[in-house]
Amino acid sequence: MTTTVKLPDKLENALRMRCAQEGRSLSEVMRDALTAYLSQPPVTASAWALGEGVFGRFAGPADLAENRKSEWADAVQAKQLRRS
């Protein structure tokens, strides 16, 4: 199979220099690089890794999920009291 790959000039130049130094073809080096890359396990972020930057940034009642209705009612009542 033939595949076309677009490389930035700097990367292409570095690749060509390395191939010349090692006496290997561009295709051979690229096949080896892809083989090495694909032999690694895929990098998948866990839910923890995705949310790590926001966990703990916001504070509230520890039992908010359990008492959401009463917390909401208290918030509405407090708002009404501020208006009057």
Side-chain angles (χ1 to χ4, degrees), residues 11-74:
L11 183 59
E12 181 187 359
N13 292 336
L15 176 60
R16 289 187 183 281
M17 287 178 57
R18 176 67 62 93
C19 290
Q21 290 170 348
E22 296 179 4
R24 299 170 65 197
S25 70
L26 290 169
S27 294
E28 183 181 5
V29 171
M30 292 178 80
R31 277 192 301 271
D32 288 349
L34 283 170
T35 300
Y37 174 77
L38 293 173
S39 69
Q40 301 295 315
V43 178
T44 54
S46 67
W48 171 258
L50 292 171
E52 187 175 14
V54 294
F55 295 149
R57 291 179 72 189
F58 304 98
D63 61 349
L64 180 61
E66 294 172 2
N67 298 318
R68 66 189 181 283
K69 290 181 181 178
S70 64
E71 291 287 338
W72 180 78
D74 291 346

